[in-house]
Amino acid sequence: MSTTGGRAPTPADAGTDPLGDPYLRTRFALPCRPATFLRRQRLIVHLNQALRTPLTLVNGSAGAGKTLLTADWAAGLPLPVAWLTVEAGDHRPGVFWAYVFESLRACGTSAAGTAGAPADSSGVGWRLLGSLAAELNALDRPVVLVLDEYDRMTTPEVAEQLEFVLHHSGQGLHLVLVTRTEPLLPLHRYRAADELTEIRGAELSFTPEEAGALLRLHGLRLPESAASALVDRTRGWAAGLRLSALAARESTDPERYLKEFESDHSTVADFLLAEVLKGRTEETQDLLLRVSVLDRFCPGLADSLTLRTDAERLLAELHRENAFIERLGHSWYRLHPLFREILRAHLRERLPGAEAELHLRAARWLRRSGFLPETLAHGVAGGDFDLAAGALVDDLAIGQLFTGLRSEALPELFAGMGPEAGSPASDLVRAADALARRDLDHGLDRLRRAQEQLSETEDAPGLVAARLSCALLEALAARLTGCPPRAEQAAARAEELRQDLPDHLLDEHPELTALLLTHVGSTRLWEGRFDDARAELTRVAGAPGGSATVLPRVESMEHLALLDYLNGWLGRAERRALAAVSETEQAGLPRPPGAGLGRLVLAAVAVDRQELGRARALLDETSRLPAREHDPVPTAGRALAVSRLLLDDGHTDAAAEAAEPTVSTAVASPWAESQAAVVRSAACLADGRPDEAVRLLHGVGGDQPVCAVEAAGIQVAAGRPRAAAELLGAVRAEGRTGPAVSVGAALVRARVAQESGDTVTARRLVARALLDARRERLRRPFLRTGDWIEPLLATAPLHELAEGWLLSGRPRTHGEPVRPGADPPLLVPVELSGRERDVLRRLARMMSAEEIAADLYVSVNTVKTHLKSAYRKLAVNRRSDAVRRARDLGLL
């Protein structure tokens, strides 16, 4: 599916899931019914009746026939059916929902066509789920979504999200859960509302008549009493009946065999398995036992485990005989889960100690064949972490530790890696994991070890991928330690190494280049090389790549927003930051990447516009994100926004303290130091210490235009107009600075003119400043300029220019904190869902949460969820503020 309009690329657009792997299409296919499958009409009728309720639960033990029953019913439905077989890896919400979206597309429904798709394996945003529910609710006819083997889903978060989508999809979705266990859903509520149909073990059990029919399909014609006795002994268990029939076919006296088959065995499954294996050749038994360590297998992989070449023939025979082998397509198979589980137990008994070696054989074959995820899993299961780490590094996939692709699964996978794993690749994985967690000491130590080992084999061509991975980690280390020369060296080394790698490998991992450029751009920004930083960051922000590059793209957009802010372009900074936040939400990311730099930029813009309520809300939101220590740019961005907010609130001591970033770096940042110096100086001036304020401005020069004009204003306020003029004269604008610079400079010159008696010039300069500031809603320079401007703003021409956006009352005197509730209406676009508006309308009528819930026929918790979402979008924390702000924005 191609992207359209301004929609961000989704995993579906790239044809991959959030882990960067192609979707396994067999997971969307209805399982094939074998020739000996028995259609049970009574259950088909019950499932048809179940369409009257939004939720159907097919719950039974392993081998109860749940999946084939549901597949048989679904195959005859006139409605679109989206089938998804849940797997263990789906416990990560982002992976699960990506497959749900793809299953809906695969069945031809228009739902999820524009909502996007999750890009982060660890989670999915509520906005994306809300879009999906809205699209389903708008369908002309409902879609049936079947989640087979749902017992594999044990994540409460997914259950909560699934309930949300089901509830808000209305008549557009009918959900069928096929499971062995009780799902994590509030079934009691569905039962009470008569919105649940249940088909459980007792109903799934075969009746004597059905058992007789099943036996006849297997070529066994037994008296009704024999079939009834078999049902009694197996309790109607479908797998037991089928296994019994298969084994009895080989007996000379099937009726007697079925009477005695349980003797001397603890379970039916163990006995039947032994009988099935006993009827096979030694080669077939050996094959089944060995492939039981695999989730899926093909003949070549099976041969690598048996060390023979007969797997293709044996697997084809087993599949033809319906011997619990399911064909997945393209020569791939898998064992029936129960059969596989029992086989693995027999493997441990018959070939003790062989399991680890089988995993390693599988890992080696899978590595040669290019199946990275399974290579990692089997390498670790076999205890060879060097093999697994080598596969990860050789595939250039180490960047997935940082981009959200396997960012949770990979550290968990390598958690058991001990000191015996000593290859350069193993140390690179350790270094990547530590640096991702911002554990600099361990990360740098492991990186140094890997570099030492790689330097000893400098001419080995097979280590190019490891060296390129090393360059990526070097660039990240340079970013985190604030060391631009180190980043430049890493970038140059990476460019050399790229020439020695095949293009297809680099094309398969665009995240590696995107991450590298983002790290280099961040260090250049820290160093104050704004143009050079913009060049690298722009390449990443505009690069394609779908889910693989969404996180570096967002980070680059956020850094570009900060660059715009530091150059005085508030509007540009806001648009870029909002675009980064929007892409995060469209990709289904549950939280902003990094330290939420985009929101920090939005907070700084809000301070300059004196929208201090919004600034506080944004800063509160970023403070709840995971700590990102040792990342200088976001740390300095937070110091900038927080210190200015505190200063404008009148907390001068706290502002001066917050202005200093709490991260040590190899190289000082000129803009971070200048921003801190200006805040500390302004705090001293507000406290009546002009001499100290002037002293603190030493070092603030024209290479930082925004800081220079603020410093010039402080110089004028301290009685040093000549020093202010020199600062303004040194500003290097060169056409790249925005209104924040021109407005600040005009106000400084206007004050000098006013105090020297040149009122005409002062008025002209203030008028120019008002015109430039009005477009950006830039209020802070006027409200912090002092009392001298009040007579000028009181004149008719200037008052007209300031009215409606600046003059909501008298201007504040210098250092005076903003009065509570004085924020002007925020003009940033805010989108509320229809249900959020419904809740806010009732909130405006002073209804309680309980009253709103009753009026909308939803739960109180649902009301609170909508309120929480609305508060976040409106950047408020209280009900009254939410109503007021929604009215200001024309949303109510």
Side-chain angles (χ1 to χ4, degrees):
M1 183 180 296
S2 61
T3 57
T4 59
R7 182 167 64 86
T10 69
D13 296 331
T16 59
D17 67 16
L19 300 180
D21 299 321
Y23 284 103
L24 299 175
R25 297 290 164 184
T26 51
R27 294 181 59 187
F28 307 135
L30 270 66
C32 296
R33 278 83 69 204
T36 53
F37 173 76
L38 176 69
R39 167 169 287 187
R40 296 192 278 170
Q41 192 60 34
R42 63 182 176 88
L43 296 178
I44 297 295
V45 170
H46 195 172
L47 284 169
N48 286 332
Q49 294 171 344
L51 290 173
R52 294 178 296 187
T53 62
L55 177 62
T56 297
L57 184 67
V58 183
N59 190 331
S61 62
K66 307 178 297 296
T67 296
L68 292 181
L69 163 68
T70 309
D72 186 48
W73 166 72
L77 282 179
L79 300 173
V81 177
W83 184 283
L84 174 61
T85 301
V86 178
E87 293 190 348
D90 294 348
H91 70 275
R92 289 162 289 190
V95 175
F96 171 80
W97 282 106
Y99 266 87
V100 170
F101 274 66
E102 193 63 15
S103 71
L104 290 168
R105 293 189 183 94
C107 80
T109 179
S110 61
T114 59
D120 180 12
S121 63
S122 63
V124 60
W126 287 101
R127 181 175 180 179
L128 187 65
L129 298 179
S131 298
L132 172 62
E135 288 191 30
L136 289 169
N137 193 31
L139 292 176
D140 294 330
R141 59 175 183 164
V143 60
V144 177
L145 173 60
V146 180
L147 298 180
D148 188 28
E149 298 187 31
Y150 187 73
D151 45 276
R152 294 180 176 181
M153 177 54 64
T154 58
T155 306
E157 181 182 356
V158 169
E160 181 183 358
Q161 293 167 344
L162 190 61
E163 183 189 4
F164 171 87
V165 171
L166 178 61
H167 176 73
H168 291 286
S169 298
Q171 300 297 316
L173 175 65
H174 181 83
L175 179 64
V176 180
L177 300 182
V178 183
T179 177
R180 297 184 190 180
T181 60
E182 204 78 346
L184 297 175
L185 290 173
L187 298 181
H188 61 282
R189 291 218 309 260
Y190 287 96
R191 292 190 187 103
D194 197 22
E195 294 181 340
L196 171 64
T197 299
E198 299 178 75
I199 298 178
R200 293 187 172 269
E203 190 173 0
L204 289 169
S205 296
F206 274 62
T207 66
E209 294 75 19
E210 290 170 340
L214 180 66
L215 292 172
R216 286 192 293 275
L217 285 173
H218 284 78
L220 299 172
R221 295 190 175 275
L222 303 177
E224 184 176 335
S225 59
S228 181
L230 180 60
V231 169
D232 288 341
R233 284 193 293 275
T234 62
R235 298 182 182 175
W237 179 43
L241 291 168
R242 178 167 169 73
L243 284 166
S244 300
L246 287 171
R249 283 195 311 190
E250 307 301 323
S251 173
T252 57
D253 189 351
E255 183 175 349
R256 180 176 179 182
Y257 179 88
L258 291 174
K259 288 180 181 179
E260 301 175 352
F261 74 91
E262 282 190 277
S263 60
D264 300 326
H265 293 277
S266 58
T267 66
V268 174
D270 285 341
F271 172 82
L272 292 175
L273 177 60
E275 291 297 317
V276 171
L277 286 181
K278 187 171 66 177
R280 305 289 174 185
T281 64
E282 289 186 8
E283 291 80 8
T284 301
Q285 292 188 39
D286 182 67
L287 173 70
L288 289 171
L289 289 172
R290 291 173 184 271
V291 298
S292 68
V293 303
L294 304 169
D295 290 324
R296 64 184 186 123
F297 46 88
C298 64
L301 177 54
D303 282 340
S304 73
L305 268 59
T306 63
L307 302 180
R308 302 194 309 270
T309 59
D310 55 1
E312 184 172 9
R313 174 179 59 83
L314 295 177
L315 290 173
E317 290 176 358
L318 288 166
H319 181 258
R320 279 196 304 271
E321 296 173 10
N322 297 312
F324 309 101
I325 296 259
E326 181 181 352
R327 190 192 296 274
L328 300 176
H330 304 289
S331 299
W332 284 88
Y333 299 84
R334 68 180 174 189
L335 293 168
H336 182 283
L338 179 61
F339 192 43
R340 178 192 174 204
E341 185 179 320
I342 299 170
L343 280 170
R344 290 189 69 175
H346 279 259
L347 171 67
R348 298 184 186 108
E349 293 178 6
R350 295 193 185 187
L351 300 172
E355 195 167 354
E357 175 58 27
L358 292 172
H359 279 297
L360 292 180
R361 291 183 194 176
R364 297 185 192 106
W365 187 92
L366 290 162
R367 183 178 184 181
R368 291 192 302 271
S369 303
F371 296 98
L372 179 63
E374 290 163 298
T375 300
L376 300 179
H378 286 290
V380 169
D384 193 338
F385 286 94
D386 282 335
L387 184 155
L392 184 74
V393 171
D394 287 348
D395 197 64
L396 284 186
I398 200 167
Q400 294 180 359
L401 280 159
F402 306 100
T403 63
L405 309 180
R406 313 186 204 282
S407 58
E408 289 186 352
L410 283 178
E412 183 179 340
L413 192 65
F414 286 96
M417 183 163 59
E420 69 280 356
S423 68
S426 294
D427 276 328
L428 284 173
V429 170
R430 293 186 181 103
D433 178 53
L435 292 175
R437 293 182 286 104
R438 300 311 192 243
D439 183 353
L440 279 181
D441 290 340
H442 286 90
L444 295 176
D445 178 63
R446 290 297 182 178
L447 181 56
R448 185 169 55 253
R449 289 192 192 185
Q451 290 170 326
E452 290 172 353
Q453 293 186 71
L454 290 172
S455 66
E456 295 173 0
T457 54
E458 188 65 32
D459 297 329
L463 295 177
V464 176
R467 294 191 179 101
L468 185 55
S469 299
C470 194
L472 169 65
L473 299 185
E474 271 288 314
L476 174 56
R479 168 183 172 176
L480 300 181
T481 57
C483 186
R486 186 176 189 177
E488 299 298 335
Q489 291 173 5
R493 179 64 171 149
E495 189 59 33
E496 293 175 2
L497 292 167
R498 288 171 60 93
Q499 311 306 316
D500 298 326
L501 285 170
D503 291 339
H504 76 85
L505 192 57
L506 292 167
D507 292 341
E508 289 170 5
H509 292 285
E511 74 275 1
L512 190 140
T513 300
L515 286 167
L516 182 67
L517 293 178
T518 301
H519 300 332
V520 173
S522 183
T523 56
R524 290 178 178 176
L525 192 160
W526 177 253
E527 192 181 13
R529 296 166 54 193
F530 289 174
D531 290 342
D532 293 337
R534 187 181 298 278
E536 301 291 9
L537 295 168
T538 301
R539 287 177 60 189
V540 181
S547 61
T549 58
V550 64
L551 289 182
R553 282 203 314 270
V554 168
E555 278 204 313
S556 292
M557 292 164 65
E558 291 178 329
H559 279 69
L560 288 169
L562 178 60
L563 276 172
D564 287 332
Y565 178 82
L566 294 175
N567 281 325
W569 296 98
L570 268 66
R572 291 183 189 176
E574 180 184 56
R575 288 191 292 274
R576 286 190 192 272
L578 287 173
V581 173
S582 175
E583 179 149 355
T584 298
E585 293 179 345
Q586 287 182 22
L589 300 177
R591 64 183 69 87
L597 180 58
R599 283 169 169 75
L600 293 173
V601 172
L602 291 175
V605 169
V607 171
D608 280 359
R609 290 174 174 166
Q610 292 298 278
E611 297 160 357
L612 302 190
R614 175 170 170 77
R616 293 186 194 96
L618 287 163
L619 290 172
D620 288 344
E621 188 173 346
T622 59
S623 68
R624 294 192 293 270
L625 297 175
R628 302 291 280 181
E629 300 88 350
H630 300 291
D631 201 344
V633 170
T635 302
R638 168 166 283 279
L640 183 158
V642 170
S643 61
R644 285 171 172 255
L645 177 61
L646 289 169
L647 186 65
D648 289 5
D649 274 338
H651 305 301
T652 54
D653 291 341
E657 182 179 352
E660 199 68 48
T662 58
V663 60
S664 59
T665 57
V667 173
S669 172
W671 63 266
E673 289 195 335
S674 294
Q675 292 282 351
V678 166
V679 170
R680 292 197 302 270
S681 176
C684 288
L685 186 65
D687 289 342
R689 293 175 287 156
D691 292 340
E692 185 176 353
V694 169
R695 181 182 61 79
L696 288 171
L697 293 176
H698 177 72
V700 177
D703 56 342
Q704 299 296 324
V706 171
C707 295
V709 296
E710 291 192 24
I714 295 173
Q715 293 279 16
V716 170
R720 294 167 57 94
R722 182 173 299 176
E726 291 176 357
L727 261 177
L728 294 181
V731 169
R732 297 200 298 270
E734 300 175 0
R736 292 193 296 270
T737 57
V741 176
S742 62
V743 169
L747 289 177
V748 171
R749 292 190 175 101
R751 180 169 186 174
V752 172
Q754 176 76 349
E755 292 179 351
S756 65
D758 188 355
T759 304
V760 173
T761 298
R763 287 177 180 171
R764 176 175 54 81
L765 289 168
V766 171
R768 182 193 304 169
L770 287 168
L771 287 170
D772 287 346
R774 183 167 60 183
R775 289 192 295 269
E776 299 274 347
R777 306 197 312 280
L778 178 59
R779 303 175 75 238
R780 188 173 190 267
F782 297 93
L783 300 181
R784 293 197 59 81
T785 195
D787 294 338
W788 67 270
I789 201 172
E790 290 191 29
L792 296 177
L793 293 178
T795 61
L798 297 183
H799 188 277
E800 183 177 349
L801 288 175
E803 192 172 17
W805 68 275
L806 177 63
L807 292 180
S808 57
R810 68 171 183 82
R812 290 184 299 139
T813 59
H814 189 84
E816 179 185 358
V818 174
R819 299 184 306 279
D823 290 0
L826 181 60
L827 302 182
V828 178
V830 175
E831 294 183 4
L832 296 179
S833 70
R835 185 60 81 181
E836 288 165 353
R837 291 179 186 236
D838 291 340
V839 171
L840 282 177
R841 289 189 188 100
R842 287 158 178 78
L843 204 66
R845 301 204 297 265
M846 304 301 291
M847 294 174 67
S848 67
E850 290 76 13
E851 291 170 332
I852 295 173
D855 197 42
L856 293 177
Y857 298 97
V858 297
S859 69
V860 174
N861 285 338
T862 299
V863 171
K864 291 179 179 178
T865 298
H866 289 309
L867 281 176
K868 182 178 179 181
S869 176
Y871 287 179
R872 176 181 61 79
K873 293 178 181 179
L874 296 169
V876 298
N877 295 309
R878 296 184 301 179
R879 294 186 171 199
S880 58
D881 292 340
V883 173
R884 175 182 59 80
R885 184 160 173 71
R887 285 173 173 161
D888 289 341
L889 295 172
L891 299 175
L892 291 182

